[in-house]
Amino acid sequence: MPELRSLVTKVRSKNAGPFWLTIDIFCGSNDAYKQVCSGLSTSHVAGVFKADTQTIKRFDIPDLNVVKFSLPRPTVQGAIGDRDMHGASWAALIGELVI
C-alpha cells in the first residue's frame, strides 16, 4: 500500500484564517483522484490531527482532481503555543498516510 504523497502531484496545507487550516491534495489524474477519494476517509484525517470528525469539512472536487479538508487549528494563529504560523507543516503528516 502506497503513501499518499507517492500517488498524488502535491499535498499542500495553509491557513484558512486565524482559526482554520486547509489541506489540499492535488491528485493530477482521475485515477489517482478516485483512489484518494475511496482510500482516504475523514476519520483517517481526524485521527492524524487528533480532531473531532464533526469539525472537519471535506470537499471532493472532481473537475480539478482535488480533495480538500478544512479543520480548526489546534491553537489560534500567532498564539504563544502556535508552532506553525502559516500552517504549512501539516501537509507532511497527510502525505505520509498509507492508503
Side-chain angles (χ1 to χ4, degrees), residues 5-81:
R5 67 177 161 215
S6 69
L7 293 174
V8 301
T9 305
K10 183 169 184 74
V11 180
R12 172 182 74 184
S13 62
K14 59 183 182 171
N15 285 333
F19 306 107
W20 287 81
L21 292 166
T22 188
I23 299 156
D24 303 316
I25 303 167
F26 298 92
C27 299
S29 72
N30 193 38
D31 290 337
Y33 174 77
K34 288 178 183 177
Q35 192 170 358
V36 170
C37 282
S38 64
L40 184 60
S41 68
T42 302
S43 61
H44 204 168
V45 172
V48 170
F49 297 117
K50 298 178 177 83
D52 181 1
T53 56
Q54 300 300 314
T55 63
I56 295 178
K57 298 176 183 178
R58 178 184 174 137
F59 305 93
D60 294 337
I61 309 166
D63 291 342
L64 300 175
N65 292 324
V66 171
V67 178
K68 177 178 186 147
F69 293 93
S70 292
L71 62 147
R73 290 178 60 95
T75 59
V76 175
Q77 179 187 15
I80 290 176

